[in-house]
Amino acid sequence: MKKEITASILLALIAINAFAWQPAGNKMKTKWAAEITPDNVWQEYPRPQFERSEWMNLNGLWDYALLPKTTPMPKKFQGEILVPFCVESSLSGVQKDVMPDDKIWYKRTFNVPSEWQGKKVILNFDAVDWEASVWLNGCLLGTHKGAYDRFSFDITPYLKKGTQNL
């Protein structure tokens, strides 16, 4: 039986370019906002009662594009967003409004630890807006509708070994 490993996204990896990120404006900031950086954003396991010994937190900087709904997957993204913060928030580093005819694309590369080879890898989402389509290495894993419900995908068959996954 393969050991199940969970890679959790609270909407979320590790910062690529931590020095470029900064909050956008002062909208809805608490006194702790100054402590947030791409390297330290919400590193806790999201559901302590289900914590695994091996897991990867995907919070951090991601590429994003805010485009009309009818636009296909972009080749070029508009900037970086700090996940798990929503695009409208200051701490996302973006602070842009999303209109009903808009779609937000997120992109992130990651490497699966070599110790995970031969193990099942599950990608968990804990806070996604109304609808999300999840792609990995050019393959559509699936679509989820339902506001902020948790959902998961078994990404094991879609992973590339020894290289970055996108």
Side-chain angles (χ1 to χ4, degrees):
M1 184 168 125
K2 291 182 178 181
K3 184 175 180 183
E4 181 175 297
I5 298 173
T6 304
S8 294
I9 292 184
L10 302 171
L11 244 177
L13 253 167
I14 299 166
I16 293 174
N17 186 359
F19 302 108
W21 176 86
Q22 62 183 2
N26 289 310
K27 195 175 187 180
M28 294 184 63
K29 285 175 141 177
T30 68
K31 63 182 180 180
W32 297 282
E35 298 174 19
I36 299 294
T37 70
D39 293 324
N40 74 0
V41 63
W42 198 337
Q43 296 300 310
E44 294 83 16
Y45 195 85
R47 298 187 297 167
Q49 68 274 29
F50 298 113
E51 186 169 356
R52 311 251 190 307
S53 59
E54 295 177 298
W55 69 287
M56 180 185 302
N57 186 319
L58 301 177
N59 288 332
L61 291 174
W62 290 58
D63 294 329
Y64 85 93
L66 178 58
L67 301 168
K69 267 187 185 175
T70 56
T71 306
M73 186 183 302
K75 291 184 181 8
K76 186 175 183 199
F77 285 70
Q78 296 167 336
E80 292 182 317
I81 184 167
L82 185 57
V83 169
F85 301 105
C86 66
V87 71
E88 296 92 347
S89 75
S90 172
L91 290 177
S92 72
V94 178
Q95 196 175 14
K96 290 184 180 176
D97 291 331
V98 180
M99 304 314 290
D101 291 330
D102 291 337
K103 182 189 296 185
I104 308 169
W105 292 88
Y106 290 83
K107 180 178 81 169
R108 175 66 201 221
T109 60
F110 65 95
N111 292 315
V112 175
S114 59
E115 305 83 56
W116 293 10
Q117 188 163 345
K119 298 177 182 178
K120 191 176 200 177
V121 180
I122 306 296
L123 183 61
N124 292 318
F125 293 83
D126 283 351
V128 176
D129 203 351
W130 169 243
E131 182 177 0
S133 295
V134 181
W135 296 79
L136 179 60
N137 296 323
C139 299
L140 177 63
L141 300 178
T143 299
H144 174 79
K145 289 183 182 179
Y148 295 94
D149 298 336
R150 291 182 175 126
F151 62 98
S152 301
F153 294 105
D154 179 352
I155 63 172
T156 311
Y158 303 94
L159 292 171
K160 293 181 181 176
K161 294 178 179 119
T163 187
Q164 287 190 334
N165 290 275
L166 172 65

